[in-house]
Amino acid sequence: MSHIINFSAGPSILPKVVFEEASQAVLNLNGTGLSILEVSHRSAYFEPILHEAMALVRELLGLPDDYEVMFLSGGASTQFFMSVMNLLPEGKKAAYVDTGVWSSKAIHEAKMIASIDVIASSKDKNYSYIPKGFDISPDFEYLHTTSNNTIYGTQYQSWPDSPIPMVCDMSSDIFSKPIEPHRFGMIYAGAQKNLGPAGVTLVIVRKDMLGKINKTLPTMLRYETHIQNESMYNTPPVFPIYVSMLTLRWLKNLGGLGAMQQMNERKARHVYDVIDSIPFYVGHSVPEDRSRMNVTFNLEDAALNKEFQTYCEEAGCDGLKGHKSVGGFRASIYNAMPEDGVKILAEVMKEFALKHA
Ligand SMILES: *Cc1c(COP(=O)(O)O)cnc(C)c1O
């Protein structure tokens, strides 16, 4: 294996043991003599994998029985409109909080097919904070939020006290810490940040959110289709589901989401401590809303950006270039990023600042 430390925002790092087990399964799945890539999704080879993945999702998140778990295709971006089609009855409105590019895309898609209100936004300060203290009318059907803003490096550290269920895009921080399921009527997440390879989307819906739509939706766009068929109405993304299952096993063996949260807090502190102690680095997010998954920062002197990037790459730190909406740099330190990787980055940042002091 290379010594490269991958700070990419997504697709992104997965645990080394998962890469090893997944590559073994491509050659020979559990000693069957078959590759995971060639087995039927309706076979005794795959069904136990799917069921284990679903059971691990339930167990790790602590989902009560009235939540349904689906593994779908189309990415989180498909859920931007599929959620609206399935959950928002005609004549009702949904509320949205705009905390960045991904929320804005969710809002854009929803507006094309339904009536929604944006009730809070942090656009005024380039999404560097999480809006708080806004009123949420119980007349809305649900409140759409984005738990972690991958591009801006902000994350809800506490949830608004919502009188209506939340529908939440958790693509970039799902399984990074325990959640309180009762707050959410629906949760969705593209796998490729914290769960597995690109190609599968985890969708969780509480049963009482469904059955309110009068319109007939195309079969593939109805959650009921996928619930009734246990995510096997059509061919599911077999390999991404398999790898996700391996990642969930890894998480469980590690001690689950409580243990993961402690590790993630500790990892994030290494980088934020450097940002807070060296004025050479300027964090994008306000401190109280800082993401434990994506650390965004600029150099005080942007003329040094190129040199900093090269310096990091020479130290093996890859994928740090920030998104164009924020500029500068972004260290994505998802669950699978080892603490040693983050420590190396923190050291590299200190050295580079010293060099230019
Ligand atoms: C990456 C990301 C998305 C986009 O996911 P796709 O699976 O590519 O559609 C949506 N929301 C958030 C918060 C993300 O980080």
Side-chain angles (χ1 to χ4, degrees), residues 99-101 125-128 149-154 282-285 294-299 302 305 320-330:
T99 49
V101 164
K125 292 188 175 152
N126 197 19
Y127 300 115
S128 58
N149 298 283
T150 326
I151 290 172
Y152 303 88
T154 63
V282 184
H284 180 69
S285 170
N294 311 95
V295 180
T296 48
F297 58 95
N298 280 271
L299 304 191
N305 277 359
L320 285 164
K321 194 172 175 355
H323 188 275
K324 60 181 187 299
S325 322
V326 177
F329 299 91
R330 166 173 56 174

Side-chain angles (χ1 to χ4, degrees), residues 31-53:
T32 57
L34 291 169
S35 166
I36 180 70
L37 302 180
E38 66 182 329
V39 298
S40 162
H41 56 295
R42 303 203 189 276
S43 66
Y45 303 114
F46 180 66
E47 289 200 22
I49 292 168
L50 177 69
H51 291 148
E52 183 174 349

Side-chain angles (χ1 to χ4, degrees), residues 134-201:
F134 48 88
D135 286 330
I136 307 163
S137 160
D139 295 338
F140 289 113
E141 185 70 12
Y142 59 79
L143 173 69
H144 183 281
T145 53
T146 311
S147 55
N148 181 73
N149 298 283
T150 326
I151 290 172
Y152 303 88
T154 63
Q155 183 180 29
Y156 285 84
Q157 300 305 334
S158 64
W159 288 109
D161 195 11
S162 175
I164 47 174
M166 275 194 282
V167 168
C168 189
D169 177 359
M170 292 195 186
S171 293
S172 53
D173 68 352
I174 192 146
F175 299 116
S176 70
K177 58 180 178 181
I179 61 163
E180 301 159 292
H182 70 271
R183 292 181 181 276
F184 304 99
M186 177 187 168
I187 293 166
Y188 61 96
Q192 67 274 19
K193 315 287 167 54
N194 231 355
L195 179 58
V200 66
T201 312

Side-chain angles (χ1 to χ4, degrees), residues 84-99:
V84 181
M85 293 171 134
N86 281 271
L87 306 182
L88 190 57
E90 220 163 311
K92 292 284 273 183
K93 276 185 158 191
Y96 278 68
V97 182
D98 176 19
T99 49

